[in-house]
Amino acid sequence: MSALAGALPGAAPVAASRPGRLAALIPLAAALSAVALVAATGTTQRSLDAAGFGQWAYGFFADRYPLFFPAIAYGIVRAALLPLAAPNWRGWLGACLGLTLVTGLSLHPTYGGLVLRAGFSVGGVAFLSGQPMAVAQGLGAVAAAFVLGFALGFAALVARGLPRRGARGRALVRALLRFAALAWALGLLAVARDVGLSGFPRLVLSGDQAALALGLVLAAFLPHVTLDLVRPRASVESTSGRR
């Protein structure tokens, strides 16, 4: 359930004010800002290596999936925002768990972590077993989303608690939608190299490439964000609600 909770704080919906809903845009802004910062500073593998980040600058996954770093920024910020939705000790605990899990699963042992390794392994096996490339890529995206979704979904459940018994069916549907949206996001980001970002991060992200990258990130995560913006009013069986 935590993985299906889809990678979003908000697996268990709560009554949200308009400002609270608009806060869902912050992770998207963080992902877009990460791309803009990389482009503006001319970040490359060489500059990252010189700064002591060589472990996350080189390797197969850095070359094959150059646009995964905005997904890391997106996940980290979503986890960090949990205390806004659950302003108590559970919210802070969930945020700490989320930050630890997202960072570890995305960057250990190197760039991509278990998230991209799971996706590549599942997709590779599917392709070698005779599945069409599109199907293999889709299965890989689902596997990667499961790992990243577990990190954020588990943190959200710790922070916000389970939905009320009568609302669990609706919460499950929304969790499945969030999971599907996350799989879409990771699947779209995975094709970045094939559609024009093949030189990055060995080379500087050019102006045209930066525009392409920003467009891909926006298209990737907008469905995920939209689910928060349109979420229905509901309550959650939290610690305070059970007392």
Side-chain angles (χ1 to χ4, degrees):
M1 167 92 178
S2 58
L4 292 178
L8 285 183
V14 296
S17 64
R18 183 176 180 82
R21 292 185 180 184
L22 292 181
L25 296 173
I26 297 176
L28 177 59
L32 294 171
S33 297
V35 175
L37 179 63
V38 165
T41 58
T43 301
T44 62
Q45 288 178 329
R46 180 175 297 181
S47 64
L48 288 172
D49 191 29
F53 298 105
Q55 179 179 359
W56 299 286
Y58 292 94
F60 171 79
F61 291 100
D63 290 331
R64 185 63 186 85
Y65 305 103
L67 212 56
F68 180 60
F69 71 94
I72 301 175
Y74 183 87
I76 286 175
V77 173
R78 288 205 69 87
L81 289 175
L82 275 174
L84 293 181
N88 50 42
W89 68 269
R90 291 178 59 128
W92 289 103
L93 177 60
C96 290
L97 285 172
L99 290 171
T100 300
L101 288 171
V102 170
T103 303
L105 292 174
S106 299
L107 294 174
H108 180 77
T110 58
Y111 176 86
L114 296 179
V115 176
L116 292 187
R117 283 159 176 78
F120 183 78
S121 297
V122 171
V125 170
F127 181 71
L128 292 175
S129 67
Q131 298 298 322
M133 177 60 74
V135 174
Q137 290 177 333
L139 291 174
V142 168
F146 185 87
V147 178
L148 187 57
F150 165 79
L152 287 171
F154 179 69
L157 289 176
V158 169
R160 308 183 72 164
L162 293 171
R164 291 180 185 270
R165 184 169 301 175
R168 289 178 183 175
R170 182 172 57 184
L172 178 59
V173 170
R174 294 187 62 80
L176 289 169
L177 290 174
R178 284 187 168 95
F179 178 74
L182 185 63
W184 158 262
L186 295 180
L188 188 58
L189 295 181
V191 305
R193 177 189 173 191
D194 299 329
V195 298
L197 296 181
S198 58
F200 176 78
R202 289 177 286 106
L203 304 175
V204 174
L205 200 62
S206 68
D208 291 342
Q209 286 182 321
L212 173 62
L214 289 170
L216 284 173
V217 170
L218 180 62
F221 289 110
L222 192 57
H224 207 254
V225 171
T226 301
L227 288 171
D228 271 359
L229 296 177
V230 301
R231 68 190 178 200
R233 289 180 174 274
S235 58
V236 64
E237 190 178 13
S238 60
T239 301
S240 59
R242 286 192 292 264
R243 287 186 297 186

